[in-house]
Amino acid sequence: MDPHLLRTFAAVARLGSFSAAADELGYTQSAVSQQVAALEQDVGAPLLRRRPVALTDAGARLLEHTGPILLRLAAARADVARLSGPPPAAVVLGATPLARLDPGRLVEVQRAMPRVAFTVRVGGRAETATGVATGRLDLGLVDGVTAPSDPLALPDTGQLDTTAVAEGPVVVALPAGHPLAGRRGVALADLADAVWLDAPEAATPPAQLRAFVRGDGFRGGLAYPGTDTGALLALVAAGAGLALLPAAVLTPAVRGVPVVVPRLVHRTELVHGSLTAPAAALAAALSGRS
């Protein structure tokens, strides 16, 4: 299956238009139509209805596979490039909003390599993991809530190495005046009927909360797609919804009640593929191996 055809198909499906996909990809509309037709011939099924543009059942199923396939190909290309390219003069570290980053260790490595430019970019979990896989980032610190024995749920990006660099307790964050603010512990399932902030990049999203308790509920309230931890805590303090967060980030206006059932931890993992010498030095420092 030709990845160029898959990329064109994905663009048409995402944009809902052959002409818009042609503009984005730099092709003519006729070329886009021909590529989609060639893919349909290859898989032996119609993938798109033309007027209006809409996915068929077969197209919807193929689209589910297309993202991971293209991501794995990009990751493979980036991994080979890291091994065969010239030594870089820059290292880019990605970090999710609540990742535990020790700035002292970063500064030590920077001072030891004054000719290498180090950059930290804050982004979402999927953005950081895929950025490492595709070479936009040299390594990443990704945080999340999980069971103590489970790894973080990351996109399927291929051969990435992960190392746990920090773990801490998890709390339900709520306003200081909330009736539960004085509790010593809570079962997460008991809060299934509460309203939760829908902040997938800065807190634990409702869908993952449901997975933790293997049940329903956890209605998403105000949606916050951003990555600013201060803004998230301000929303919690104002009563916009509850949030499952690491205890270490709370402010005086926000109280935290420990989650006792199920047992959960907030973990930061270092994620990387093949490493250049400067990136390897930073990875060793961040993981405590230097």
Side-chain angles (χ1 to χ4, degrees):
M1 201 174 294
D2 189 329
H4 297 291
L5 302 184
L6 286 174
R7 191 171 292 108
T8 298
F9 162 67
V12 175
R14 174 169 49 83
L15 298 171
S17 165
F18 282 78
S19 60
D23 291 340
E24 180 177 276
L25 298 173
Y27 299 143
T28 64
Q29 183 173 339
S30 175
V32 168
S33 297
Q34 291 173 11
Q35 290 182 32
V36 172
L39 182 61
E40 290 177 323
Q41 184 175 7
D42 184 19
V43 301
L47 302 173
L48 292 167
R49 299 183 183 90
R50 267 44 178 189
R51 293 179 181 172
V53 174
L55 289 166
T56 63
D57 290 344
R61 182 57 56 86
L62 180 61
L63 189 62
E64 293 175 3
H65 294 284
T66 297
I69 289 171
L70 295 177
L71 177 57
R72 290 294 293 269
L73 288 172
R77 187 178 295 110
D79 212 23
V80 171
R82 278 190 289 259
L83 292 172
S84 59
V91 173
V92 183
L93 169 67
T96 53
L98 300 179
R100 294 283 296 276
L101 169 63
D102 186 336
R105 292 181 178 179
L106 174 60
V107 170
E108 287 177 5
V109 176
Q110 183 184 35
R111 287 175 177 170
M113 300 181 176
R115 296 186 179 180
V116 178
F118 289 87
T119 301
V120 179
R121 293 181 182 168
V122 177
R125 296 180 179 97
E127 176 188 356
T128 300
T130 57
V132 172
T134 57
R136 297 192 304 274
L137 304 171
D138 294 286
L139 60 167
L141 288 171
V142 181
D143 82 283
V145 174
T146 186
S149 59
D150 292 343
L152 294 181
L154 298 176
D156 180 9
T157 54
Q159 299 300 316
L160 290 183
D161 294 321
T162 60
T163 303
V165 299
E167 267 191 12
V170 175
V171 298
V172 175
L174 36 76
H178 194 280
L180 298 178
R183 291 275 293 271
R184 294 185 178 180
V186 66
L188 190 59
D190 291 343
L191 298 175
D193 292 334
V195 176
W196 292 76
L197 279 173
D198 189 1
E201 300 298 356
T204 306
Q208 190 175 2
L209 297 174
R210 290 190 286 271
F212 284 147
V213 302
R214 295 182 175 87
D216 298 325
F218 300 98
R219 176 167 55 92
L222 187 146
Y224 177 65
T227 59
D228 188 312
T229 305
L232 175 71
L233 292 171
L235 291 170
V236 173
L242 308 184
L244 193 65
L245 296 171
V249 305
L250 301 185
T251 62
V254 177
R255 296 289 185 267
V257 179
V259 176
V260 293
V261 180
R263 189 180 171 206
L264 300 171
V265 296
H266 176 263
R267 183 184 303 133
T268 297
E269 293 182 354
L270 179 68
V271 181
H272 63 83
S274 302
L275 292 173
T276 61
L282 180 57
L286 294 176
S287 59
R289 301 194 306 270
S290 60

